[in-house]
Amino acid sequence: MSVHQHTPDHAFASMRPRELEGVTVLGRRSMLKASLAGLSGLSLPGLLQAKEQAVTGGKSSPRQKSVILVWMTGGPSHIDTWDMKPAAPIEVRGPFSPISTALPGVQICEYLPLQAAMLNKMTLIRSVDCRFSNHEPNMVMQTANLDAEPRTNREAEKFPALASIIARERLESNPDLPPYVVLNMKSRSHVAWGGYLGHAYDPFQGKDVGSLFSLPRGLTTERLHSRSQLTSDLDRLRRDLDLSGSMEATNRFTQQAVSMVTGASARDAFDISKEPESVRLKYGDHEWCQQAMLARRLVESGVSFVTIDLSNHGASGTWDTHGDNIPPYGGIWNGLRPLLPVFDRLITTLVGDLEERGLLDDVLVLAMGEFGRTPKIGTQGSSDGRDHWPIVSSITVAGGGFRHGQVIGATERDAGQILERPVTPGDLAATIFHHMGVPLDISYLDNRGRPRFVIDQGKPIAELCG
């Protein structure tokens, strides 16, 4: 299947042209009026308007909660990382050896020593049911909808990301920052989007840390404001036909969006050069680790959901380790082995940094991908790769004020099937919503006006939420 991929040249390019959207989000406990995003065509103005509606409507502002999703694009091998089977035959267990961890009796990969030492502050889930999940686009695990598989369902890309739902509900977050941010996005197909909710709830995105707030050649801050003023002038010509005053409101939110992109508050949050040298040295200079440091800055500033696209290329993802003879993926030894020390430093430094700042209870950190990999090594004619395995995967969870220092679930002796305690995408979504204070029965209308529940089946993971 051919997938259209497009990465904007700069952050302001994510503000899309005018499109008629008009979607209402419904919940049994609440109903929010649709934003003017369909009229404005600008994602940030739509979000700013929605925030003001919440304030004027008397919506309370609980303590700021956030999620950082470390998205291991391509599907990390569970059997070579967090669910090793050292007693299995070599063609199953692979080339890596297990090491002990801070949890007695629990072992993980030898290339994750930092996480092994910190595992008493984390949770491993070894029984995630990823059936129906695929990648390019990566939709099922990021939407909790089993029908969100574009290769089999042409409506799949319309299902909104969990992050987009949270952006719609968590209106008390910092108005100077977008609620849903994707960092290091190598391809549009790596993340889920606003879908039925409209472009107002697409992620705010950038190609890299340094260029996120760079304007394209020839476009200055003054010209940006000038273009915004031109929009205002054109709208004024039609204002006499707009008895509701929506065009006037749209213009005001557009001005706020321009101020956010060019203003000091957002620039400060995205500027990692403001970090002390000691912190930057702790994270290291690898691009992925720099993104993790930026993610911490963003949630600290009030962003509700940050996804880090943990990939180096724009195909199906760097963790898609099919084999050395199937470029650009590589196999387990040459492809996966170099990734693990970088990931190990990233996840432990991020969790440790959040803890030191007193943020760990308010920030839920998840590291996961689309699925696991085949129990037997050497698939697809390779000698060292593993193919997709949506039957089961493993993930790491930290923070969120949850109960950690445990392993949830288990697989059979070859790590091919779930042995006990299956955890579904709906369960993960319910756990995320529980942390964020979003109603578990939230729904939205599709383009036929039919209500769709985000969590059709699933509940918060009891072992975590207690």
Side-chain angles (χ1 to χ4, degrees), residues 77-122:
S77 173
H78 59 297
I79 196 171
D80 296 298
T81 52
W82 297 310
D83 190 15
M84 306 194 76
K85 304 293 184 182
I90 182 63
E91 65 270 17
V92 173
R93 70 175 184 262
F96 303 155
S97 298
I99 56 173
S100 298
T101 71
L103 297 181
V106 177
Q107 295 181 319
I108 62 174
C109 177
E110 62 184 310
Y111 292 103
L112 300 173
L114 300 177
Q115 188 176 358
M118 190 184 275
L119 204 58
N120 59 328
K121 299 179 181 179
M122 300 180 178

Side-chain angles (χ1 to χ4, degrees), residues 373-418:
R373 313 300 295 188
T374 48
K376 189 173 182 180
I377 205 167
T379 62
Q380 299 171 286
S382 73
S383 60
D384 58 347
R386 298 187 194 265
D387 198 0
H388 306 170
W389 192 252
I391 306 301
V392 63
S393 74
S394 296
I395 73 172
T396 290
V397 184
F402 292 151
R403 185 169 53 208
H404 293 295
Q406 61 177 318
V407 175
I408 298 174
T411 57
E412 299 281 0
R413 287 185 298 176
D414 66 350
Q417 301 286 333
I418 295 175

